[in-house]
Amino acid sequence: MNRRKFLTQSALASAATLIPGFLKGFPGLNLSSSSEEKVLIVIQLSGGNDGLNTVIPFRDDLYYSLRPGISLPEKDIIKIADSSGFNPVLKDMERLFKEGEMCILNNVGYPNPDRSHFRAMDIWQTGSESNEYLKTGWIGRYLDAKCDGCALPHTAVEVDDSLSLALKGNTVNGFAVSHPEKMNKALSGTLIGQLADVDHHHLEQEQVSYLYKVLSEAKQSVNYLYNKSRIYKAKTTFPDTAFGKDLKLISELISSGGETKVYYVSLSGFDTHNNQKNQQERLLKIYSEGMGALAAELKVSGKWNNTLIMTFSEFGRRVEQNASGGTDHGKANCVFLNGGALNKPGMYNEMSSLSMLDQGDLQYTIDFRNIYATLLEKWLKADASTILNKRFDLLKI
């Protein structure tokens, strides 16, 4: 190794150790301007939310006989249809449902699930078959597909400190940010910030040039999101929860006229093997109140009709409760769509009968990739077949 190569590789190694975690996995994008587009928000209920105690088939006697300790009394259930209703803590979701701003898709799943959290989350985030292992996510491949304006670093933003597989593409990644102000401060006037300002175009060593390019584009993205977050402040009071604060940030970025097309945020803790009832209701209440505030705020700012929200969980729970007052990993689950421009609000399809189970689990009747294809084609105006590597029928949502 000659002296020049040694110095460049040393510089690369030294700089790499200084990169904050949120900058890693950021392959490089170019800034450009773009007009306002429709926005998709993806909410992940991590852990496997129990769909049967979320949207409840209270007319089905098997619901009560299979769940003697965790079923909800009919008198407490919020009725939304002749035979189904919401968990009583979902009051804000009830309002959205009754105002025609919610669509419930029941029995959503995919062939041959194995009830593993990690595998199920990979499948949902990549859009793969159950026997297929992909290293890119469906939103990341949407960015790869060079949709209009997707060259921007912040086209897809996850409100978190790390980036989910769903937002990782082959050549383009989304961007993870939880506190734009703190990130902007971390880059301003620091060594990392100074490195990001280096003109990398004339550097001869490819890896060093690439590293500086990553830093530069990440800094631009952080600056952009920080500045956007300062333009508009929410008029609505959001719940004082971490999830509520995440949704407040998203609402402010959308209302500021930001160019981000996809937001991704998670609410964790739904793996309710023990004492499920209180734990799930606490989380569903956090979810419902956050959604209520988000919808109210986007209506105030006039962005509600341009926003579509999809809520999913990696699987549902088994129909029969376990001996610990909880439920174990199951298969099919419900998916929620919310927004001001739904073509078919209400119950999209009937819930599966509890008398016709698949090894103790709900049978799936909608492949989740039909939902992805519909969102990509109809909302984001992208070629779903290219992104999902297969043609899936679109839903009449």
Side-chain angles (χ1 to χ4, degrees):
M1 179 182 297
N2 60 37
R3 183 173 181 275
R4 183 175 184 178
K5 188 173 183 180
F6 172 78
L7 290 174
T8 54
Q9 292 193 354
S10 297
L12 174 65
S14 299
T17 61
L18 298 173
I19 299 175
F22 65 88
L23 296 180
K24 296 176 179 177
F26 189 84
L29 298 159
N30 296 314
L31 284 172
S32 63
S33 61
S34 175
S35 58
E36 182 181 21
E37 300 286 348
K38 291 181 177 178
V39 172
L40 173 66
I41 303 173
V42 179
I43 298 177
Q44 174 180 300
L45 304 182
S46 301
N49 176 45
D50 180 21
L52 272 181
N53 268 19
T54 303
V55 180
I56 304 161
F58 63 87
R59 297 289 188 201
D60 196 326
D61 292 339
L62 287 173
Y63 168 71
Y64 293 98
S65 62
L66 294 172
R67 297 183 161 211
I70 64 170
S71 57
L72 294 163
E74 181 177 343
K75 65 179 179 59
D76 294 337
I77 294 170
I78 300 171
K79 311 296 190 303
I80 59 173
D82 290 340
S83 59
S84 58
F86 279 139
N87 188 299
V89 302
L90 294 173
K91 292 183 172 60
D92 287 277
M93 302 307 289
E94 175 198 15
R95 179 174 50 77
L96 294 174
F97 186 89
K98 290 184 174 177
E99 292 177 356
E101 296 169 343
M102 180 172 188
C103 176
I104 300 173
L105 298 100
N106 292 300
N107 329 314
V108 181
Y110 53 89
N112 305 312
D114 67 359
R115 299 197 185 98
S116 161
H117 283 293
F118 302 106
R119 186 65 193 128
M121 191 59 79
D122 274 359
I123 289 170
W124 271 88
Q125 293 199 358
T126 63
S128 73
E129 303 286 350
S130 57
N131 61 353
E132 184 181 24
Y133 294 82
L134 301 179
K135 296 181 179 179
T136 58
W138 70 284
I139 297 171
R141 294 197 300 277
Y142 161 69
L143 302 178
D144 282 338
K146 298 181 179 178
C147 62
D148 181 24
C150 282
L152 294 166
H154 37 263
T155 301
V157 170
E158 179 165 9
V159 183
D160 204 316
D161 292 328
S162 59
L163 196 66
S164 295
L165 177 58
L167 285 79
K168 295 181 179 178
N170 280 309
T171 59
V172 181
N173 284 350
F175 193 75
V177 58
S178 54
H179 301 92
E181 183 176 356
K182 290 181 179 178
M183 288 187 178
N184 186 66
K185 186 177 181 180
L187 288 174
S188 300
T190 64
L191 176 57
I192 291 294
Q194 294 170 11
L195 290 173
D197 292 333
V198 171
D199 182 0
H200 61 272
H201 295 91
H202 305 295
L203 296 176
E204 296 180 5
Q205 216 286 337
E206 184 177 354
Q207 287 181 302
V208 175
S209 176
Y210 175 76
L211 176 59
Y212 282 120
K213 182 174 181 289
V214 169
L215 283 171
S216 175
E217 291 169 347
K219 183 178 180 181
Q220 291 178 69
S221 187
V222 169
N223 287 341
Y224 174 86
L225 292 170
Y226 170 63
N227 289 327
K228 282 294 181 184
S229 70
R230 299 174 64 195
I231 292 175
Y232 182 91
K233 294 301 177 187
K235 311 297 188 297
T236 303
T237 300
F238 279 73
D240 187 21
T241 61
F243 184 68
K245 292 173 183 175
D246 290 345
L247 295 186
K248 181 181 179 184
L249 173 61
I250 290 174
S251 77
E252 291 177 341
L253 290 172
I254 292 174
S255 299
S256 71
E259 295 155 332
T260 301
K261 297 176 184 292
V262 182
Y263 291 91
Y264 200 96
V265 63
S266 300
L267 176 61
S268 301
F270 286 93
D271 196 14
T272 50
H273 291 282
N274 306 299
N275 302 317
Q276 171 178 301
K277 193 172 180 181
N278 290 339
Q279 181 180 348
Q280 190 201 20
E281 290 189 352
R282 178 181 62 80
L283 291 168
L284 289 179
K285 187 171 187 290
I286 290 172
Y287 166 72
S288 179
E289 291 178 349
M291 286 290 290
L294 176 63
E297 180 54 39
L298 292 177
K299 290 176 183 176
V300 169
S301 64
K303 302 293 184 180
W304 182 234
N305 288 345
N306 281 336
T307 303
L308 182 62
I309 306 168
M310 182 189 78
T311 302
F312 80 98
S313 195
E314 68 264 38
F315 49 59
R317 316 295 294 187
R318 307 216 73 184
V319 174
E320 187 171 9
Q321 73 172 73
N322 62 27
S324 301
T327 52
D328 298 323
H329 303 176
K331 297 178 181 175
N333 207 346
C334 51
V335 168
F336 297 157
L337 297 177
N338 291 93
L342 294 175
N343 288 325
K344 188 178 179 181
M347 299 286 274
Y348 183 82
N349 59 327
E350 295 295 324
M351 300 180 72
S352 288
S353 171
L354 300 186
S355 63
M356 299 177 65
L357 301 179
D358 174 14
Q359 298 179 323
D361 296 311
L362 291 175
Q363 294 191 40
Y364 90 93
T365 58
I366 297 176
D367 192 309
F368 73 99
R369 292 163 296 185
N370 291 111
I371 301 175
Y372 286 1
T374 305
L375 300 183
L376 288 166
E377 292 272 355
K378 291 187 175 181
W379 193 254
L380 297 176
K381 306 301 181 187
D383 182 353
S385 298
T386 299
I387 295 167
L388 299 176
N389 303 318
K390 185 178 176 181
R391 176 68 186 173
F392 291 93
D393 291 338
L394 305 186
L395 303 178
K396 296 178 181 178
I397 299 173

